């Protein structure tokens, strides 16, 4: 197998690992919310709101990711990575951090995972 | 591709609205299609200048009730024989609307930011070349949202100690944090540099695009006309034209 083919195979495997990690995080969040219903209801105020003042308090890497997501509306990690010029896996990690912080919502449509700033 | 310029200041009374109007006029005189937006929902003022009652206020768009093009009022500039066009989105001056927008919660502010981003895209689709956001002074949701959606921030400063001390905070704490390019306009400067506290003596590392001299006639003229359109030879107009030309090179509009 030539080098290019090897690299493509590695990238394909990394993408699959990322998808599996996304699913694990998604399931964990679901279970966490299910087990902590009371806590979630209490936290469901404006503490998680990603308004512009909250954006300013985020560390630079998350602020860049969140700003790109604001621009895009609903987006995959790939589209965010295109704007921020970072690796898709890195952006996926940052976006999932924002999901865990309650700032961003995550939706799975078929094989793709979409993120959007939560304003509900 | 359209460009968005936010005109902001850390303190009130620094000449933001006058600069917004006249910068809009300067772009119209160079043949551009300009949209001037009153982003000062707590202290709107553009309606007083133009003395018009628009079909819809910009507030309705922010509420999600109408599209952005329904908020635009085309200002009739025929008599001045200009090549460009000027559209204005007015903020509702009624006290009820001001109260409502002053008490909106943070979820609402997130929605507003999203709508402003969409407004920019829609205005570009309508062929607008330049969007000028006339903001409220200081650090509050309305002005920071405007800065967040802009491509460039023009910060107006009066050359006195109070203004200069507060400007550093907005530059480092807001503009830079949001990754915005910015430049300073020193406004209402006394004729002699010996008598004022110039920003050129500070270490802000932000370009000063222009120092506009204080003249008694400006405060009268800015209330009744767009000086850059009616009096292009006036020293204030010349200052604004220089600002426009420098902005063009910052925004790659040359």
């Amino acid at each position: 197998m030539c080098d290019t083919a090897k690299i493509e195979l590695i990238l394909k495997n990394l993408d699959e690992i990322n998808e599996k990690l996304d699913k694990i995080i998604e399931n964990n969040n679901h279970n966490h919310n299910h087990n902590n219903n009371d806590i979630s209801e209490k936290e469901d105020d404006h503490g998680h709101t990603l308004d512009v003042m909250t954006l300013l308090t985020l560390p630079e890497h998350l602020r860049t990711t969140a700003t790109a997501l604001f621009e895009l509306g609903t987006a995959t990690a790939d589209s965010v990575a295109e704007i921020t010029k970072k690796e898709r896996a890195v952006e996926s990690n940052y976006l999932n951090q924002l999901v865990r912080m309650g700032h961003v919502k995550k939706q799975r449509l078929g094989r793709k995972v979409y993120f959007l700033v939560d304003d509900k | 591709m359209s460009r968005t310029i936010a005109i902001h200041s850390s303190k009130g009374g620094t000449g933001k609205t006058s600069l917004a109007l006249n910068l809009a006029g300067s772009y119209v005189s160079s043949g551009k299609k300009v949209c001037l937006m009153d982003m000062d929902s707590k202290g709107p003022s553009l309606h007083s200048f133009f003395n018009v009652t628009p079909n819809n206020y910009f507030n309705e768009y922010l509420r999600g009730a109408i599209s952005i093009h329904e908020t635009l009022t085309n200002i009739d500039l025929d008599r001045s024989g200009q090549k460009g066009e000027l559209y204005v989105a007015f903020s509702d001056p009624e006290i009820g609307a001001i109260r409502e927008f002053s008490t909106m919660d943070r979820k609402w502010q997130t929605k507003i930011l999203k709508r402003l981003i969409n407004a920019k895209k829609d205005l570009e689709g309508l062929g607008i070349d330049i969007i000028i956001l006339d903001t409220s002074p200081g650090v509050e949701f309305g002005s920071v949202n405007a800065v967040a959606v802009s491509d460039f921030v023009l910060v107006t400063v009066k050359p006195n100690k109070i203004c200069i001390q507060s400007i550093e905070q907005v530059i480092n704490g807001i503009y830079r944090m949001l990754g915005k390019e910015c430049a300073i306009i020193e406004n209402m400067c006394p004729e002699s540099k010996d008598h004022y506290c110039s920003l050129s003596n500070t270490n802000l590392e932000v370009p000063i695009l222009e120092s506009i001299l204080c003249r008694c006639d400006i405060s009268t003229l800015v209330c009744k006309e767009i000086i850059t359109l009616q009096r292009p030879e006036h020293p204030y107009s010349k200052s604004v034209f220089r600002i426009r030309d420098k902005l063009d090179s910052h925004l790659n509009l040359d």
Side-chain angles (χ1 to χ4, degrees):
Chain A
M1 192 185 282
C2 68
D3 283 352
T4 317
K6 275 181 193 167
I7 289 167
E8 275 173 8
L9 185 63
I10 291 167
L11 284 174
K12 188 171 166 273
N13 287 338
L14 279 174
D15 269 347
E16 281 174 11
I17 291 166
N18 271 326
E19 273 187 31
K20 284 174 186 167
L21 281 172
D22 284 346
K23 275 184 187 166
I24 291 167
I25 292 166
E26 207 175 316
N27 287 338
N28 276 346
N29 283 349
H30 177 77
N31 291 337
H32 177 79
N33 289 340
H34 186 71
N35 295 333
N36 297 289
N37 236 355
D38 291 343
I39 297 168
S40 300
E41 276 171 27
K42 276 177 203 163
E43 285 179 350
D44 192 23
D45 54 15
H46 295 162
H48 297 318
T49 306
L50 187 53
D51 54 71
V52 74
M53 299 298 184
T54 310
L55 195 65
L56 288 168
T57 65
L58 293 175
E60 194 181 348
H61 61 287
L62 293 183
R63 192 164 63 242
T64 308
T65 302
T67 305
L69 191 58
F70 260 114
E71 284 286 337
L72 290 166
T74 303
T76 60
D78 278 312
S79 330
V80 174
E82 224 167 277
I83 290 188
T84 61
K85 315 275 182 229
K86 289 177 188 160
E87 289 297 319
R88 182 246 178 233
V90 173
E91 280 308 339
S92 176
N93 180 18
Y94 294 165
L95 285 161
N96 280 307
Q97 276 187 53
L98 290 166
V99 171
R100 286 195 294 279
M101 292 162 88
H103 295 321
V104 166
K105 270 208 297 204
K106 188 171 167 180
Q107 293 169 344
R108 181 176 284 280
L109 278 177
R111 279 172 62 85
K112 287 198 168 180
V113 176
Y114 291 88
F115 298 87
L116 76 157
V117 174
D118 190 5
D119 63 4
K120 296 286 187 293
Chain B
M1 189 179 176
S2 68
R3 294 283 194 275
T4 305
I5 302 157
I7 300 186
H8 185 233
S9 67
S10 55
K11 299 284 178 193
T14 57
K16 286 186 299 300
T17 301
S18 303
L19 180 63
L21 278 162
N22 285 285
L23 187 62
S26 75
Y27 275 113
V28 167
S29 70
S30 66
K32 294 277 194 279
K33 206 169 167 181
V34 181
C35 178
L36 175 59
M37 297 169 86
D38 194 344
M39 296 286 293
D40 190 354
S41 59
K42 291 180 184 172
S45 49
L46 290 181
H47 66 283
S48 310
F49 178 84
F50 288 102
N51 198 21
V52 294
T53 307
N55 291 334
N56 298 293
Y57 285 108
F58 183 50
N59 307 52
E60 294 306 309
Y61 172 76
L62 295 179
R63 281 193 194 97
I66 55 174
S67 59
I68 190 68
H69 81 268
E70 291 173 278
T71 72
L72 301 183
T73 301
N74 187 1
I75 305 297
D76 184 10
L77 299 168
D78 282 351
R79 277 175 297 174
S80 54
Q82 299 301 330
K83 292 176 284 178
E85 292 172 55
L86 177 61
Y87 295 86
V88 180
F90 293 96
S91 194
D92 192 343
E94 287 299 318
I95 188 65
I98 295 171
R99 262 202 316 261
E100 182 196 1
F101 273 72
S102 302
T103 52
M104 291 301 190
D105 67 19
R106 290 170 54 199
K107 289 274 181 199
W108 168 263
Q109 299 298 344
T110 306
K111 284 193 174 79
I112 297 247
L113 183 53
K114 285 185 176 184
R115 285 184 187 136
L116 288 173
I117 290 167
N118 288 334
K120 257 181 76 172
K121 291 174 187 167
D122 292 345
L123 288 171
E124 185 170 337
L126 292 169
I128 298 289
D129 301 304
I130 301 288
I131 303 166
I132 297 176
L133 308 176
D134 181 23
T135 73
S136 51
V139 180
E140 52 91 39
F141 273 110
S143 54
V144 183
N145 276 337
V147 167
V149 300
S150 66
D151 300 307
F152 198 95
V153 186
L154 272 185
V155 53
T156 54
V157 188
K158 275 205 250 183
N160 62 46
K161 258 189 186 170
I162 299 170
C163 266
I164 290 172
Q165 280 170 0
S166 59
I167 194 183
E168 197 172 349
Q169 278 197 320
V170 290
I171 289 172
N172 293 327
I174 308 286
Y175 313 153
R176 285 195 172 135
M177 296 278 274
L178 292 170
K180 300 297 167 186
E181 256 198 282
C182 63
I184 292 165
I185 307 296
E186 285 186 317
N187 202 7
M188 305 177 212
C189 302
E191 279 207 36
S192 164
K193 283 220 172 194
D194 301 335
H195 295 106
Y196 73 89
C197 188
S198 175
L199 276 156
S200 49
N201 302 325
T202 64
N203 298 318
L204 283 172
E205 292 175 3
V206 172
I208 298 171
L209 285 199
E210 184 73 14
S211 298
I212 303 175
L213 287 183
C214 189
R215 286 174 54 114
C216 296
D217 63 335
I218 296 175
S219 59
T220 316
L221 291 173
V222 291
C223 295
K224 56 178 189 181
E225 62 187 43
I226 299 179
I227 309 173
T228 46
L229 291 178
Q230 303 297 329
R231 299 166 198 261
E233 294 304 317
H234 192 282
Y236 182 78
S237 298
K238 288 186 173 174
S239 283
V240 178
F241 290 139
R242 279 195 293 272
I243 294 169
R244 179 199 62 193
D245 294 344
K246 287 173 191 170
L247 269 174
D248 282 355
S249 58
H250 279 281
L251 295 168
N252 300 320
L253 282 171
D254 291 335

